Amino acid sequence: MKKSLIASALIIMLCGANAIASPSGTFRQAHEYGFGDKSNLDPASRGRVMQITEKLMSRLIRPDLKGSPSPDLATSWSANAEATEWTLNLREGVSFHDGSSFDAGDVIYTFERVLDPENKSPARSAIKMIESMEAVDSMTVKFSLSTPFADMPLQLMDYRLRIIPEDSGDSIATSGIGTGPFKLVSFDAAGVTKLEANMDYWEGAPGVANMEIIGIGDGQARMQALLGGQIDFENTVTNQQKPMFASSNKFKMVEVPTGNWRGLVFRTDVEPFTDVRVRKAVRMAADRDELVKLIMGGAATVACDTPVKPDDQYRADISCPQDIAGAKKLLADAGYADGIDVEVYVATLEPTWPILAEAYQQQAAEAGIRVTIKQVPSDGYWSDTWMQKSVSATRWNERPADSALHEIYLSTAKWNESYYNDPAFDSLLGDARRELDFEKRKAIYVQAQEHLYETAGTLIPYHVSKLYVYNARVDGIDAVENHSIRWNKVTVE
Amino acid sequence: MIVMLMRRILLGFITVCLVSIIIFSGIEMLPGDACTQYLGEYQADKELLEQCRKDLDLNRPAHERFREWAGGAMTGDLGMAVDGKTKISTIVGDRVKNSLLLAFCAMLVGIPLALILGIITGLWRDRMPDLVISTLAIFAMTIPEFVSATLLILVFSIWLGWLPGIVLTSASAPISEFFPEILLPVIVLSLVMCAHIMRMVRSSVIDVMSSDYVQMATLKGVPYWQMVFRHALPNALLPAINVVALTIAWLLGGVVVIEVVFNYPGLGRLMIDAISDRDLPVVQSIALIVASIYVCVNLAADLLTMLANPKLRTVYTRK
């Protein structure tokens, strides 16, 4: 009896020792070097290398594994009854990599920098409703908004809103100082950027001792590096490359649903798409299940023209099977009994666009929609084709539900790509932001998405899934979107 | 001789100028510019695009920008990259060093090997060693580099795990850090260049061995190996000089495909990156360097051939 007690005590001690084992090993990952020599470590700038900043710096609020807001540098938050004032309590005892301690001043400095139009931060749109900020005390900040915003915590989860030390704006691009689980040893965007474990990270020391983030521009070269064991993790593996890893026990593979989508935009201000019946008809003609199989090899989730990601709490549950008879009838009602001719513009900028257009061409033909595909050069696509031609291919990356609906469809939005102008829809979005009750808010967002399915000009056939492939020696990679992965939990053998 | 040299240098200069102009206009004609590339999807924001073009000084007419760059280049100042912040000489410097390193290693392996194999196949023409080596050479020549590169990566780094598959060392790292990563690209390059030079040497050895003076020497009873080394080879290797020179120029000019496949930070990859960033000054500078290398190496090869061949020397002097 006594012996077994001692034994179990020993086991507990050993397990305990194991749990607090010191960081070990090196984890290596590539980045695309997509910003060339503009690459830097300023999280709010356009050239930020996300694969590095996400390990160096923390946000106030981060998504948990289900995508809901969970505490990071802010421990709790609350709003006033109108949802125009948000108060956040900050985490005590956190220090930056340079030893300075984190407080409200850093938060206000970081956000002011993002909000300053002079800095042209792409993250500005996420928080531009913040009118003023105030440090209630050294560990409490208050944001006053220009409009009611019930889902402010979701906005603060934006992957670019990472807190940097006060007054570090001029040096952050190369110093990379933050409060994250790893700190910078050396930065070389084109070569190897070295990070080491931050033993003082507020959640405890991370699992690996060193990280190397390597700039490899060529996709094929990244595959070779992964196959040859020179890097441990890659998230740009395409469907076609899947078989290279699927049969090998040297690699682990996981499919992660994302909010990223590719689709076709029919401009609602151009004939014949000014007629809402035509707009619905061109979307009803698509067989989305088939498109998912054909283009994505199954690695996607069908969407019914909603930009809200599949696992978002506000995603509307709509069903949208192909309906050729219905599409024909709508076209006839709108005065196009003989069908319509449509020119769809695509480029190889997004490799799946031409395939999407081809497949859609076949499907829509049955409904009398005669599609001609126009392929234009990738260079200048966004300035000369997108939002210029009547019908063009488009793609958007994941956003919180509210941002997606606002940025893509609000009549006054800068990137309202379909020139969608519907006062009823606009006012629904306004109502949702004012509604503090979650269930009621959800009902409004769902209604807005259903409204889009009836009236919008954008065909969103699916949300793509991302394929993570990593070396079998790596453990602890969460099967969630990149910026939600808890990098401190990753370990290597 | 001096007149000839001057003429060649002048011609070389004109070639380099023409190349610069062609490259500049070519890239200027591509749709998009440094700003549309940098802004990506944000380029649809006309205001942002205009601001960026103003910042980077892209609104001036093309010929004006070219003249300014060319003026600087004449005095040895390559100027600034399109962002106006980085000196081109710093960017290009490391890359030139890396490309030289790769070229030098490939030559060190490839040229001696090519000469030896070429002589062997020439002397044993149509017999077993010739048949085997020549067939392999044809394979090495006709399989594109990116295929042989990928095959070698598959075998040596993925299956066997002996060598690193791609180069992860940064451009500014000291030379020693490029080993052993550099080995696979060196092998691929050596294979290709070796095959080319070897075939040239082989046919030239065959020519010389069947020439009248070699037959005369044989008839006069000169021992075989003495005849080969003293009379045949010096004449047979002359035509190879030009092929070797072309190969060297090709190597130094940045072997784009190989550098991209192996992620090697040399001139070739810099060129690709700069073109996709529409960084005209950098592209121009690389084109200038590569064109100058071509001209110089070819000139050197011609001079060498002339020095080694009295016949050519007199032809030029008489003119």
Side-chain angles (χ1 to χ4, degrees):
Chain A
M1 184 66 198
K2 206 175 183 185
K3 253 187 188 166
S4 70
L5 257 181
I6 294 173
S8 42
L10 256 175
I11 289 170
I12 290 168
M13 267 171 66
L14 279 174
C15 290
N18 211 15
I20 51 159
S22 55
S24 67
T26 301
F27 174 82
R28 283 157 306 172
Q29 187 191 348
H31 68 87
E32 294 167 47
Y33 193 45
F35 302 104
D37 45 357
K38 277 117 194 157
S39 305
N40 67 63
L41 299 179
D42 178 354
S45 83
R46 191 158 283 131
R48 77 275 171 304
V49 185
M50 189 183 80
Q51 288 85 344
I52 304 176
T53 54
E54 70 189 7
K55 288 153 190 124
L56 295 177
M57 300 145 186
S58 319
R59 289 165 281 193
L60 290 176
I61 301 176
R62 67 183 175 192
D64 64 12
L65 297 184
K66 291 196 187 76
S68 311
S70 85
D72 199 343
L73 288 178
T75 49
S76 61
W77 48 87
S78 58
N80 65 354
E82 290 79 42
T84 53
E85 263 182 27
W86 283 84
T87 309
L88 293 92
N89 298 310
L90 305 179
R91 192 174 296 279
E92 308 260 357
V94 174
S95 55
F96 285 99
H97 299 153
D98 62 356
S100 61
S101 53
F102 160 76
D103 63 21
D106 304 306
V107 175
I108 291 178
Y109 174 78
T110 303
F111 279 61
E112 267 174 356
R113 208 166 148 266
V114 172
L115 285 168
D116 186 351
E118 275 294 293
N119 289 332
K120 299 192 196 107
S121 169
R124 182 166 171 258
S125 65
I127 51 164
K128 61 170 186 282
M129 67 297 271
I130 296 182
E131 207 165 52
S132 66
M133 287 174 288
E134 182 196 344
V136 179
D137 58 53
S138 73
M139 281 297 151
T140 313
V141 285
K142 195 160 86 180
F143 295 151
S144 305
L145 313 184
S146 54
T147 58
F149 211 111
D151 268 328
M152 195 60 198
L154 291 181
Q155 301 300 114
L156 297 178
M157 290 185 339
D158 188 292
Y159 67 95
R160 296 160 297 198
L161 293 176
R162 295 180 186 273
I163 307 299
I164 61 171
E166 199 167 351
D167 293 326
S168 67
D170 293 334
S171 59
I172 194 71
T174 51
S175 73
I177 289 174
T179 53
F182 292 89
K183 45 187 181 181
L184 186 72
V185 178
S186 62
F187 173 54
D188 177 1
V192 183
T193 298
K194 294 185 173 150
L195 315 179
E196 63 178 7
N198 172 14
M199 303 304 283
D200 302 325
Y201 182 54
W202 67 265
E203 274 188 290
V208 297
N210 297 291
M211 283 206 175
E212 292 182 0
I213 317 291
I214 306 157
I216 309 176
D218 186 62
Q220 198 58 43
R222 282 199 299 276
M223 287 308 115
Q224 282 158 4
L226 182 63
L227 282 167
Q230 287 178 290
I231 56 174
D232 295 315
F233 171 80
E234 184 55 32
N235 59 13
T236 61
V237 180
T238 63
N239 239 338
Q240 285 75 21
Q241 292 162 332
K242 205 163 140 183
M244 292 199 288
F245 304 96
S247 56
S248 169
N249 56 3
K250 279 160 70 185
F251 299 99
K252 294 187 229 174
M253 192 157 53
V254 53
E255 220 171 82
V256 181
T258 74
N260 304 347
W261 58 269
R262 292 93 180 77
L264 302 175
V265 195
F266 301 82
R267 276 180 60 174
T268 60
D269 60 337
V270 176
E271 292 279 350
F273 311 113
T274 42
D275 191 317
V276 66
R277 289 167 294 192
V278 177
R279 299 206 294 261
K280 180 141 194 228
V282 294
R283 291 184 285 109
M284 279 163 82
D287 182 344
R288 296 155 204 256
D289 288 307
E290 199 57 35
L291 291 177
V292 166
K293 269 188 236 143
L294 268 174
I295 305 165
M296 301 306 299
T301 314
V302 165
C304 295
D305 303 324
T306 168
V308 178
K309 69 181 276 196
D311 50 359
D312 194 287
Q313 52 193 355
Y314 297 130
R315 163 92 160 200
D317 187 16
I318 312 173
S319 114
C320 46
Q322 186 184 32
D323 184 357
I324 295 294
K328 271 185 170 160
K329 183 171 182 307
L330 281 176
L331 283 179
D333 290 349
Y336 298 99
D338 300 334
I340 51 171
D341 290 288
V342 180
E343 282 186 346
V344 175
Y345 282 80
V346 295
T348 51
L349 180 72
E350 166 59 49
T352 57
W353 279 346
I355 320 173
L356 172 63
E358 289 270 348
Y360 177 72
Q361 184 182 42
Q362 299 296 321
Q363 296 179 351
E366 294 172 53
I369 301 163
R370 295 174 293 273
V371 173
T372 321
I373 300 169
K374 299 265 178 190
Q375 188 154 332
V376 295
S378 295
D379 287 306
Y381 183 84
W382 297 112
S383 55
D384 304 334
T385 305
W386 181 68
M387 286 185 78
Q388 309 292 323
K389 303 295 180 194
S390 315
V391 186
S392 60
T394 184
R395 68 168 179 210
W396 286 76
N397 283 342
E398 142 170 351
R399 284 161 168 65
D402 179 83
S403 307
L405 294 168
H406 270 82
E407 288 177 37
I408 311 175
Y409 297 100
L410 195 72
S411 59
T412 52
K414 198 170 195 172
W415 308 124
N416 175 4
E417 54 179 357
S418 58
Y419 296 85
Y420 183 71
N421 189 344
D422 191 327
F425 176 82
D426 286 5
S427 73
L428 277 178
L429 290 191
D431 293 346
R433 284 191 173 179
R434 270 185 294 275
E435 182 54 64
L436 272 175
D437 181 86
F438 174 74
E439 288 303 328
K440 286 184 189 156
R441 191 162 72 235
K442 180 171 177 179
I444 304 176
Y445 279 125
V446 167
Q447 198 190 339
Q449 292 168 67
E450 285 165 351
H451 190 76
L452 283 183
Y453 179 62
E454 294 304 321
T455 62
T458 314
L459 170 66
I460 306 179
Y462 50 76
H463 282 93
V464 301
S465 298
K466 224 176 207 178
L467 211 52
Y468 291 176
V469 177
Y470 51 99
N471 201 301
R473 74 187 196 103
V474 178
D475 216 3
I477 300 227
D478 298 320
V480 289
E481 179 56 21
N482 223 57
H483 60 81
S484 309
I485 295 178
R486 296 165 299 172
W487 293 104
N488 54 322
K489 304 280 187 196
V490 174
T491 54
V492 294
E493 258 169 40
Chain B
M1 179 85 181
I2 304 252
V3 177
M4 194 282 306
L5 191 63
M6 296 305 288
R7 189 164 359 132
R8 285 294 300 270
I9 290 176
L10 186 70
L11 274 175
F13 179 74
I14 294 174
T15 313
V16 171
C17 290
L18 279 177
V19 168
S20 295
I21 293 172
I22 293 171
I23 300 270
F24 186 88
S25 11
I27 297 178
E28 197 57 36
M29 265 184 258
L30 284 177
D33 59 24
C35 279
T36 59
Q37 294 312 113
Y38 172 44
L39 292 173
E41 337 203 326
Y42 292 94
Q43 67 184 262
D45 186 343
K46 293 282 181 289
E47 229 170 87
L48 209 61
L49 192 61
E50 235 358 88
Q51 183 60 39
C52 169
R53 285 189 174 142
K54 216 155 86 197
D55 291 346
L56 299 188
D57 212 9
L58 289 178
N59 284 327
R60 287 184 304 150
H63 62 89
E64 209 173 284
R65 277 179 287 135
F66 179 72
R67 216 164 41 210
E68 193 183 273
W69 174 83
M74 290 276 200
T75 60
D77 175 19
L78 293 176
M80 296 288 184
V82 77
D83 65 3
K85 285 180 209 138
T86 7
K87 279 188 89 128
I88 291 180
S89 46
T90 15
I91 314 176
V92 174
D94 280 328
R95 301 304 189 109
V96 171
K97 180 203 78 188
N98 297 339
S99 277
L100 281 178
L101 176 69
L102 184 61
F104 182 74
C105 293
M107 284 190 291
L108 212 61
V109 181
I111 295 179
L113 193 65
L115 293 182
I116 294 170
L117 290 180
I119 295 169
I120 293 177
T121 49
L123 292 178
W124 278 274
R125 179 188 181 187
D126 291 342
R127 278 185 280 161
M128 211 44 185
D130 177 34
L131 289 179
V132 174
I133 296 172
S134 293
T135 315
L136 289 179
I138 300 226
F139 272 112
M141 267 171 71
T142 45
I143 297 178
E145 296 117 275
F146 59 87
V147 176
S148 46
T150 313
L151 278 177
L152 284 180
I153 293 178
L154 186 65
V155 174
F156 288 103
S157 72
I158 296 175
W159 288 351
L160 298 173
W162 290 350
L163 292 169
I166 64 165
V167 181
L168 299 181
T169 313
S170 46
S172 53
I175 288 175
S176 56
E177 283 189 18
F178 281 97
F179 293 90
E181 290 176 342
I182 202 176
L183 290 180
L184 277 182
V186 165
I187 295 174
V188 175
L189 284 178
S190 314
L191 275 181
V192 179
M193 66 184 279
C194 181
H196 276 275
I197 301 176
M198 186 217 99
R199 286 177 56 82
M200 186 71 206
V201 172
R202 174 179 179 272
S203 64
S204 140
V205 167
I206 291 173
D207 272 358
V208 172
M209 288 304 283
S210 59
S211 68
D212 293 346
Y213 67 86
V214 168
Q215 281 181 4
M216 176 63 109
T218 316
L219 288 176
K220 276 192 165 175
V222 179
Y224 183 72
W225 287 112
Q226 189 187 339
M227 196 250 325
V228 167
F229 282 106
R230 191 169 301 165
H231 303 286
L233 284 190
N235 287 307
L237 293 185
L238 270 183
I241 292 180
N242 273 307
V243 188
V244 172
L246 271 180
T247 317
I248 293 176
W250 166 69
L251 278 177
L252 295 181
V255 265
V256 178
V257 177
I258 293 292
E259 289 187 2
V260 171
V261 174
F262 288 103
N263 200 46
Y264 188 83
L267 265 190
R269 227 184 80 208
L270 181 65
M271 175 89 125
I272 294 275
D273 290 346
I275 291 177
S276 72
D277 290 346
R278 297 287 185 283
D279 196 335
L280 265 173
V282 172
V283 179
Q284 285 288 100
S285 306
I286 298 175
L288 180 76
I289 294 171
V290 174
S292 314
I293 292 177
Y294 255 92
V295 169
C296 291
V297 173
N298 274 317
L299 183 59
D302 286 353
L303 288 178
L304 212 63
T305 321
M306 266 165 55
L307 290 178
N309 188 340
K311 257 198 247 162
L312 284 173
R313 214 154 51 209
T314 35
V315 169
Y316 270 106
T317 329
R318 268 191 216 142
K319 258 187 190 169

